[in-house]
Amino acid sequence: MTDNRSAPAVVALMGPTAAGKTDAALGIADAAVVDLISVDSAMVYRKMDIGTAKPTAEVLARYPHALVDIRDPVDTYSAAHFVADADEAVRCSLDAGRTPVLVGGTMLYFRAFKAGLHRLPGADPALRHELAARAARLGWPALHGELARRDPEGAARIDPYNGQRIQRALEVLELTGRPLGFWWSRTAQSAQQRLGCRLVEVAIEPADRSSLHQRIASRLDEMLRRGLVDEVGALRDDPALSIETPAMRAVGYRQVWRHLDGDYGHDAMVERIRAATRQIAKRQLTWLRGWDGLAGKAVDAPTAVGVVLQNL
């Protein structure tokens, strides 16, 4: 494995939602010659700008981010897609003599990039149909509960409403008798091996949970002010999309969609988004607590910039 200081650095800047990762990335870009690469399973989608906290068009014009706006919402996008796209973006950056900075909060993507992907079994249409039928009867949270009994570690990292990931985790269990985590640990090539780099991993972890919750609430207020409900309404008008489309399962989009369907009022929608976002942050912090190989931790964006620059 290539990890010595003479190898080119690839930065992985991680942290929970609303912790200040984008601000830190922009600070790093102001101080060093870097290329920013988004690690966000929702920012890949066009027309999903407000609810994903995507940097504004003005910010993206000044600080381009690879892997933003590369898919339509009707498309699927997986960890395997991400690794292929991220590897290409990293190689282009290194070939240009720049430092790639992967920044985001989709921890599954970071893990896939770092460890590489094992050749997991392909999709089994009959099994997937059976799981989908059970979910239609019982709801995805019930299947998440089954997964939690069989694979507690894996279930802790999956949203109880993320049907796509719950289905895949149960599918792999049924087909192989082993959880996804077993297969992650038997990957072919790490990022260092694939790319000939040293990985500089830095995490932003706010000092106290209450301040993070306040940042989450304030950011949601700003999203609503900027027109989150109208953004989801426009997506809802697209006949190719439904609430079951993987892109629409993103937090914020699912709750607003159900509000527009008349399932609950505005105040209940806001509270549901806040609660779901806090749960995402909790799962992201769970990932980070068990993360090996961190070069350093920071409590906010300015300190994260310092930690990254010290390790380049």
Side-chain angles (χ1 to χ4, degrees):
M1 180 179 295
T2 303
D3 59 4
N4 59 71
R5 295 287 297 193
S6 63
V10 174
V11 175
L13 180 60
M14 306 173 286
T17 186
K21 298 182 295 296
T22 296
D23 289 342
L26 303 187
I28 295 166
D30 284 335
V33 181
V34 304
D35 288 313
L36 302 180
I37 301 169
S38 173
V39 186
D40 191 292
S41 60
M43 286 190 194
V44 299
Y45 293 113
R46 307 177 187 100
K47 302 177 184 178
M48 294 174 61
D49 302 330
I50 299 171
T52 62
K54 192 178 294 178
T56 65
E58 292 77 17
V59 170
L60 290 174
R62 182 176 177 185
Y63 302 93
H65 286 53
L67 310 193
V68 169
D69 291 338
I70 59 171
R71 291 288 192 280
D72 289 324
V74 71
D75 298 329
T76 57
Y77 194 76
S78 67
H81 290 129
F82 171 77
V83 172
D85 290 343
D87 279 4
E88 180 180 1
V90 166
R91 289 191 181 100
C92 288
S93 180
L94 293 176
D95 288 347
R98 302 166 69 87
T99 298
V101 176
L102 291 92
V103 55
T106 301
M107 300 305 299
L108 177 69
Y109 285 7
F110 274 119
R111 182 174 179 177
F113 175 80
K114 176 179 181 176
L117 290 169
H118 186 84
R119 288 187 176 273
L120 288 166
D124 184 302
L127 179 54
R128 288 198 168 190
H129 178 76
E130 177 189 337
L131 291 168
R134 288 173 55 200
R137 293 195 313 270
L138 306 172
W140 285 113
L143 271 69
H144 184 270
E146 176 185 333
L147 179 63
R149 291 189 293 274
R150 300 176 65 183
D151 179 14
E153 181 181 355
R157 294 168 174 167
I158 298 177
D159 187 304
Y161 291 92
N162 192 326
Q164 185 179 26
R165 289 186 61 194
I166 295 167
Q167 183 185 58
R168 181 56 174 160
L170 287 171
E171 179 183 39
V172 170
L173 269 171
E174 291 293 337
L175 292 175
T176 70
R178 295 183 181 274
L180 275 171
F182 171 87
W183 298 109
W184 283 114
S185 67
R186 284 154 178 78
T187 52
Q189 283 193 313
S190 68
Q192 291 96 323
Q193 292 169 324
R194 297 192 314 272
L195 301 166
C197 67
R198 60 184 176 92
L199 201 54
V200 177
E201 299 165 286
V202 175
I204 302 179
E205 295 188 33
D208 72 274
R209 196 70 59 88
S210 62
S211 65
L212 179 61
H213 289 176
Q214 183 55 52
R215 288 177 64 92
I216 288 170
S218 297
R219 189 177 69 173
L220 175 55
D221 290 344
E222 176 64 12
M223 288 177 177
L224 292 167
R225 187 194 66 78
R226 290 180 55 205
L228 174 59
V229 174
D230 289 340
E231 179 174 85
V232 179
L235 292 164
R236 190 165 164 269
D237 289 339
D238 185 340
L241 299 176
S242 77
I243 197 169
E244 295 303 322
T245 303
M248 293 301 101
R249 295 177 188 155
V251 168
Y253 292 87
R254 180 175 64 242
Q255 290 82 3
V256 174
W257 190 298
R258 291 187 61 193
H259 163 65
L260 293 173
D261 278 348
D263 289 355
Y264 39 71
H266 184 275
D267 290 348
M269 174 196 75
V270 172
E271 185 49 44
R272 284 170 183 251
I273 297 173
R274 285 176 182 161
T277 308
R278 289 194 295 264
Q279 285 299 310
I280 284 180
K282 181 179 179 180
R283 286 191 294 275
Q284 290 166 321
L285 290 167
T286 296
W287 277 92
L288 289 171
R289 279 196 294 271
W291 200 269
D292 293 327
L294 286 176
K297 292 184 179 181
V299 297
D300 57 20
T303 52
V305 174
V307 173
V308 169
L309 295 178
Q310 288 169 12
N311 284 276
L312 293 183

